[in-house]
Amino acid sequence: MKWCFLLFFVAAVESLFLQNYGSCKNRCFTPNDYNNPCQCDSDCESFNNCCGDFWRLCRGSEYGLLVTQAELNTFAQQLWDNDVNRINSALYTLNYQGQTTQNEETDMATDKLFKPVDGQLDALLSKANSTYALFIQLLDNYELNVQQSEHRPLVEIQEEDAFWAVASQTKVMQLASKFLLDNGFIKADPHAFRAVINEMWFELYRGHSALLHRHKSSGFEHIMIGEELKNTHNMKHNISNHIIGLNNWIQFYLLEKAEVVDYHGYLSYLQDPPMVSVQFLWNDAMARMKKFFVGTSPEFDMALYTVCGLTRPDKQCAVTVNGQNITIKASTARHESILQLTGAVPSFTSSV
């Protein structure tokens, strides 16, 4: 009897709260209606005006079913097999040069890592309305200095939407959406997956250290672009400027092409699927042991890291691709009740 009364009381309180503060009931992913005290559209998280029941009714719980290792392996291989936008390895060669170690300061390479075979690689990356071109448009929306706080003006949100409009139609993103839906992580409405991508990749979060707490960053900035952590008087004097994040081959290739990074050599590499662990100097800051897939489409990286972030948050997300064991460490943080990616690093056993 006590339990019945308690349930009735909770339901009554929730009903009264939603009457006063608004609800997403029958309003999921509908256009903004400013006659209501809160919103339920795809961008309500960006503008911090979602109704309190948006996540329960519209987006879906981030806590899904227990995903088995076999299911993750099958999913990762399907992603790889269906990444039709992956760059053909015939369009570039990797000039590994000297092998280095994580603490090595000496430059073990005299030339660039990437050597395009001809102009086809650049043509593919700049092809109008491709996921590559739209992805590249996002790369200049952020400040390199991690101690400089980020903002998301409307024009940048529109660029994110343009990228998503194309990426969401790719087979790999459709596979990721289906996988998350089948395992209870999102609702069936396609806008729900967009909400997850927005939360995990583009919503800003505050740094966790005392030094960085006042400054905002995002999963996209950290993972896909990289950030420079400068030595200051508030830090130990034996810590030099260094690059954190940057686990994406497109960003590295473009920086190297622009001659703003100095490749210092490789620690290890894998040939199938192509992956590298490298070191380089960028803006007088060392980037140590940076690992990334090579040639994969931006939608492949985002799909794989999103699934790992939800199914194995802050744990080792082991997958198998083309018979090779790969581990993704997807680190997460919670900001304003939503789960966000703060890092995604792929690791592998070297074939060298």
Side-chain angles (χ1 to χ4, degrees):
M1 187 65 180
K2 289 182 179 179
W3 281 108
C4 291
F5 175 78
L6 180 60
L7 291 173
F8 175 79
F9 176 77
V10 169
V13 169
E14 180 183 30
S15 177
L16 180 61
F17 177 86
L18 294 177
Q19 286 176 15
N20 291 333
Y21 296 99
S23 170
C24 284
K25 185 177 182 180
N26 300 321
R27 293 178 58 211
C28 284
F29 304 112
T30 56
N32 279 341
D33 180 357
Y34 290 106
N35 291 319
N36 287 295
C38 58
Q39 306 303 322
C40 306
D41 65 308
S42 299
D43 295 321
C44 69
E45 292 174 302
S46 299
F47 294 99
N48 196 29
N49 61 0
C50 296
C51 295
D53 55 4
F54 171 80
W55 293 272
R56 178 171 61 85
L57 295 181
C58 305
R59 174 221 184 273
S61 171
E62 67 197 34
Y63 303 105
L65 302 174
L66 178 63
V67 176
T68 68
Q69 184 60 60
E71 290 171 330
L72 272 179
N73 288 342
T74 298
F75 168 73
Q77 188 63 55
Q78 286 179 335
L79 275 193
W80 182 263
D81 293 341
N82 287 277
D83 187 16
V84 297
N85 290 331
R86 186 168 61 247
I87 299 295
N88 190 321
S89 59
L91 300 184
Y92 63 88
T93 58
L94 295 176
N95 185 20
Y96 298 107
Q97 301 167 78
Q99 189 170 22
T100 188
T101 60
Q102 183 175 359
N103 296 319
E104 181 60 64
E105 299 289 341
T106 306
D107 188 347
M108 306 298 290
T110 59
D111 205 351
K112 296 177 181 178
L113 171 64
F114 277 91
K115 287 194 170 296
V117 173
D118 53 31
Q120 292 185 59
L121 175 56
D122 289 331
L124 285 174
L125 294 183
S126 60
K127 184 179 179 181
N129 296 319
S130 68
T131 54
Y132 286 105
L134 294 169
F135 172 85
I136 290 170
Q137 286 184 4
L138 305 178
L139 300 182
D140 65 356
N141 289 349
Y142 301 89
E143 299 292 338
L144 177 59
N145 186 350
V146 71
Q147 288 136 315
Q148 188 165 344
S149 192
E150 299 290 352
H151 305 279
R152 289 177 74 203
L154 180 59
V155 63
E156 293 181 2
I157 294 175
Q158 290 172 337
E159 288 180 347
E160 295 163 7
D161 289 341
F163 167 73
W164 180 248
V166 177
S168 63
Q169 299 304 308
T170 62
K171 183 64 174 178
V172 293
M173 277 299 184
Q174 291 172 356
L175 285 169
S177 177
K178 184 178 185 304
F179 186 84
L180 294 175
L181 174 62
D182 290 346
N183 287 283
F185 289 92
I186 59 173
K187 297 284 189 180
D189 191 309
H191 293 94
F193 189 36
R194 173 67 179 100
V196 170
I197 294 295
N198 183 58
E199 292 170 15
M200 299 188 74
W201 288 93
F202 296 109
E203 285 290 331
L204 299 176
Y205 60 82
R206 295 190 182 277
H208 301 294
S209 68
L211 178 66
L212 302 179
H213 183 69
R214 293 175 299 169
H215 307 286
K216 292 184 177 181
S217 183
S218 72
F220 186 90
E221 177 183 16
H222 185 87
I223 298 165
M224 298 298 191
I225 300 175
E227 303 169 279
E228 181 184 8
L229 184 59
K230 290 180 177 290
N231 188 13
T232 71
H233 295 300
N234 296 324
M235 301 173 65
K236 295 179 181 179
H237 293 294
N238 63 348
I239 298 179
S240 61
N241 298 350
H242 61 285
I243 300 297
I244 56 177
L246 205 170
N247 300 104
N248 177 258
W249 78 272
I250 303 169
Q251 169 71 339
F252 177 83
Y253 170 75
L254 293 174
L255 292 173
E256 196 175 52
K257 178 186 174 185
E259 299 186 350
V260 295
V261 301
D262 180 13
Y263 172 60
H264 274 210
Y266 75 96
L267 290 87
S268 58
Y269 63 84
L270 190 64
Q271 293 180 320
D272 183 24
M275 302 179 70
V276 296
S277 175
V278 297
Q279 289 188 179
F280 53 92
L281 190 68
W282 179 17
N283 200 41
D284 295 324
M286 277 301 299
R288 300 185 184 278
M289 204 164 67
K290 297 305 175 185
K291 302 174 183 178
F292 43 81
F293 288 92
V294 177
T296 49
S297 68
E299 60 266 26
F300 173 89
D301 287 8
M302 291 184 73
L304 181 58
Y305 299 161
T306 298
V307 168
C308 280
L310 286 170
T311 62
R312 300 287 192 274
D314 304 301
K315 298 178 181 178
Q316 299 297 323
C317 180
V319 297
T320 301
V321 176
N322 293 352
Q324 295 287 346
N325 295 326
I326 298 167
T327 301
I328 312 297
K329 178 62 182 295
S331 54
T332 63
R334 191 168 296 281
H335 175 61
E336 295 180 356
S337 300
I338 61 177
L339 191 71
Q340 297 175 277
L341 281 174
T342 58
V345 181
S347 299
F348 55 91
T349 302
S350 175
S351 61
V352 180

